[in-house]
Amino acid sequence: EIVMTQSPATLSVSPGDRVTLSCRASQNVNSNFAWFQQKPGQAPRLLISGAFNRATGIPARFSGSASGTEFTLTISSLQSEDFAVYYCQQYNNWPLTFGGGTKVEIK
Amino acid sequence: QVQLVESGGGVVQPGRSLRLSCVASGFTISEYGMHWVRQAPGKGLEWVSSISYDTDSYYYTDSVKGRFTISRDISKNTLFLQMNSLRVEDSAIYYCARRTGGMDVWGQGTTVIVSS
């Protein structure tokens, strides 16, 4: 099973900040990688798939990058609606696996 | 519009069964693989099961193998998850999601509580 490790667990930031979230895969997942955002009481929402590709309707301030087994989600200027929990996921191998999540909270 | 709506959750005793349904609209499930993902209270996301678009392939996380069965009814454009021999640790919100590389469409979830 591929283990996805997200860091940090919690990030305290202010609106307007540039935010970087990290996720490491325990083995190669190629670009079969996604980021999701989840707000309280809501279903997850796909932000990024294929490691780099924004999903339909996702603002340009969200971007994904990768280097080997290290993946990064960058929010260029955090908006109030971006406070949420973010999950990474690999879909290269079965079983599909998610990271433990990073909570982005207001400083 | 493209939408998924789950139902069938509830409170059930350990060892009993439930069948979850996920009705799709705005697209045809025969053209897409589909997933079930769950989230225990206050916890992260856990993939449960997937079915390929052509139903040639089925996948399950180890903890549900032999107990859960994923299936679909094309005529009803509906995905199912038959859950037998339920355990306390199966308590969670269960989401269905469309498989397109990433999971691009999610339902609102249905809650399963397994308790004596």
Side-chain angles (χ1 to χ4, degrees):
Chain A
E1 172 175 320
I2 296 177
V3 177
M4 308 299 288
T5 303
Q6 289 188 243
S7 60
T10 304
L11 199 56
S12 299
V13 297
S14 300
D17 284 353
R18 181 182 180 87
V19 173
T20 300
L21 308 180
S22 297
C23 180
R24 173 183 296 172
S26 62
Q27 57 185 275
N28 180 32
V29 298
N30 298 298
S31 294
N32 295 314
F33 179 91
W35 288 100
F36 298 88
Q37 177 193 67
Q38 188 179 34
K39 298 178 181 179
Q42 296 185 17
R45 177 174 71 147
L46 177 67
L47 298 176
I48 301 285
S49 63
F52 309 97
N53 306 308
R54 275 191 305 278
T56 302
I58 301 304
R61 64 180 181 273
F62 292 91
S63 62
S65 61
S67 176
T69 59
E70 298 272 353
F71 297 85
T72 301
L73 175 69
T74 300
I75 310 172
S76 60
S77 178
L78 196 77
Q79 305 298 300
S80 58
E81 62 265 31
D82 301 334
F83 291 98
V85 179
Y86 293 81
Y87 294 96
C88 62
Q89 183 233 341
Q90 67 80 20
Y91 49 93
N92 194 68
N93 287 59
W94 304 97
L96 307 185
T97 47
F98 289 90
T102 292
K103 182 179 181 180
V104 176
E105 63 177 24
I106 300 174
K107 183 184 289 185
Chain B
Q1 78 272 25
V2 174
Q3 191 175 7
L4 295 168
V5 178
E6 302 96 334
S7 62
V11 181
V12 63
Q13 292 180 326
R16 305 299 291 265
S17 299
L18 275 178
R19 188 175 83 154
L20 306 184
S21 300
C22 168
V23 178
S25 57
F27 72 99
T28 303
I29 64 170
S30 62
E31 298 177 356
Y32 292 86
M34 297 292 292
H35 302 290
W36 286 100
V37 176
R38 67 186 178 184
Q39 187 168 36
K43 302 297 184 182
L45 301 171
E46 179 187 24
W47 168 77
V48 175
S49 180
S50 300
I51 184 170
S52 63
Y53 77 97
D54 55 5
T55 68
D56 266 0
S57 301
Y58 304 82
Y59 304 92
Y60 299 93
T61 192
D62 282 349
S63 65
V64 309
K65 282 180 183 174
R67 300 189 299 123
F68 290 12
T69 303
I70 190 171
S71 63
R72 69 185 191 186
D73 184 334
I74 298 301
S75 68
K76 297 180 180 178
N77 215 27
T78 300
L79 177 74
F80 300 103
L81 186 67
Q82 177 67 44
M83 305 187 297
N84 298 332
S85 303
L86 281 161
R87 304 169 180 169
V88 171
E89 55 265 33
D90 294 319
S91 297
I93 298 172
Y94 283 74
Y95 298 100
C96 60
R98 189 172 74 172
R99 178 180 173 186
T100 54
M103 302 175 183
D104 69 332
V105 180
W106 292 66
Q108 84 290 347
T110 188
T111 299
V112 173
I113 299 173
V114 184
S115 173
S116 55

